[in-house]
Amino acid sequence: MKQRLMRYLAGLDAAGKRSDGLIATLEAEARQDEANLEKIRRNVYGIFTALANADWAQAQKEPNPQEAFERLHTQRFERFPEPWRQRLAKAQSHGDVVTQTIEETKLKTVAQLWRLFEETEAEA
Amino acid sequence: MNEIQAVQLFKCLADTTRLQLLSALSDGPKYVELLSQLLERSPSTVSFHLKKLEETGLVEAKKEQYYTMYSLNRTLLEKPVSQLVLGDRQQLDAQAVKEQQYRENVLKNLFEYGKLKTIPVQRKKRRIVLEKLAEHFEAGVRYPEKQVNLILADFHDDFCTLRREMIAEGIMARDKGEYWLRETETKEEL
């Protein structure tokens, strides 16, 4: 199970590094707003890395750490982005394209990380 | 165009994608999906940039059947840079610029989609909010309390506090259940 966590964290780390590279490229091309959107993605990778580590530590306190980590981290994917979903719905109803783009970026990144989490389970 | 607007305009232009969008629009109006293909950017990224260009007045949006067509605002784009930098814009003194920026920030932070998120405790901020709300009342008109409540309730559930604060701050006056903007009163007295 620890191996699965390590693979998941490695995936997050790789995504973060790709993001860092893209941020540098976009800034060099004077595409600051797109670089800022990429920084949002980068922050989501960072947040989910911290959450995965916290969930792993919490899971060790439970009788079945493997099952506990699975449950705790799956809950994160459901609950953590909820305020982003709400802000997106609000932005859509008010035609606020800028906020919409920002919230969509966060939610797409979460969806990407969910796929990564599922893939590491399949490999386990 | 004042100094703040000029700065916002130049900031908006300081982006490669936005310059490419303006260039793509130079031969005629286009919709998001087409611009997305031309620039090889996602439609959401293109919409994001178009919104910023629209906010500074560089492009205009017009609904046509199923699409929103974007076109250049040539009146603004064809102005010489010298005119924007030195010319016809209203000169604001540094203090006025600072004050205007502060007001804009306060209003941006406290209002979301036209609703007041919270009534600020700090008097200076509360005053700015109340002055903003006062724009929704017509000068010279006497409003019954019920109507004042209805207007203020559009912005915040605690319309009673807002109404009382309007009086306490001297923005509105009240007599026999009627409310009016004090500005009018002063002008009439003069």
Side-chain angles (χ1 to χ4, degrees), chain B residues 99-114:
Chain B
E99 190 59 34
Q100 195 177 331
Q101 281 171 336
Y102 179 76
R103 281 183 72 87
E104 281 172 10
N105 278 338
V106 168
L107 295 173
K108 193 179 157 193
N109 291 333
L110 289 168
F111 281 89
E112 190 182 43
Y113 305 126

Side-chain angles (χ1 to χ4, degrees), chain B residues 126-139:
Chain B
R126 197 165 64 232
R127 172 93 199 176
I128 291 170
V129 165
L130 294 170
E131 283 172 356
K132 181 74 188 165
L133 296 178
E135 289 172 10
H136 296 268
F137 293 88
E138 267 183 66

Side-chain angles (χ1 to χ4, degrees), chain A residues 29-34 90-91 94-99 101 104 108, chain B residues 14-18 20 41 44-45 47-49 51-52 55 112-113:
Chain A
E29 288 175 3
R31 290 161 65 187
Q32 192 55 51
D33 279 339
E34 284 161 61
K90 215 171 176 181
H94 288 87
D96 179 353
V97 178
V98 173
T99 307
T101 308
E104 275 173 357
K108 277 181 191 167
Chain B
D15 185 285
T16 306
T17 306
R18 287 201 276 272
Q20 288 171 349
R41 304 269 194 281
S44 64
T45 302
S47 296
F48 177 88
H49 286 296
K51 189 70 191 171
K52 297 222 163 186
E55 279 169 0
E112 190 182 43
Y113 305 126

Side-chain angles (χ1 to χ4, degrees), chain A residues 13-33:
Chain A
D13 187 52
K17 282 184 177 135
R18 274 196 303 275
S19 207
D20 286 337
L22 195 50
I23 290 165
T25 307
L26 289 167
E27 283 180 340
E29 288 175 3
R31 290 161 65 187
Q32 192 55 51
D33 279 339

